[in-house]
Amino acid sequence: MSFLKTLFWIVVAVIVALFCFNNWTVVSINLWNGMILETKLPLLLAITFLVGLVPPLLLWHAARYRLRRLEQVTPSSVIVPATPSAAEPMGPAGPISTVPPGGA
């Protein structure tokens, strides 16, 4: 399985390298007050990818941290499971009638 994981990342790296090589062009971005930012297309796409990746990643890490802190406060080993009580014997059931419901 480790081999397939490594192979996958190698293929992804080759595809990204080929994309960067074939699209190494200057892109002009119009900012405020007439400012123009000229950057390479792969750099612009990498920044856009990171802008979309970082906020969910931070939320995920915060949720993991919160769950770990909650587990440290109330570890599962301290919580004692309820012991089942002894079942009470059932009394005799009512009389069994042969008359169907609604009368015959």
Side-chain angles (χ1 to χ4, degrees), residues 93-104:
I96 299 175
S97 66
T98 56
V99 179

Side-chain angles (χ1 to χ4, degrees), residues 22-97:
N22 289 329
N23 292 302
W24 198 256
T25 59
V26 175
V27 177
S28 297
I29 301 171
N30 294 325
L31 300 174
W32 56 92
N33 293 333
M35 292 177 55
I36 297 175
L37 173 68
E38 291 184 352
T39 183
K40 302 290 185 183
L41 180 62
L43 179 65
L44 178 64
L45 292 178
I47 291 171
T48 305
F49 174 76
L50 290 176
V51 164
L53 176 71
V54 169
L57 191 64
L58 290 175
L59 288 173
W60 178 68
H61 278 290
R64 282 185 55 206
Y65 175 76
R66 189 173 42 235
L67 287 175
R68 284 184 182 170
R69 293 283 300 203
L70 182 64
E71 186 176 282
Q72 287 176 356
V73 171
T74 58
S76 60
S77 61
V78 174
I79 299 173
V80 178
T83 57
S85 61
E88 295 182 19
M90 294 180 62
I96 299 175
S97 66

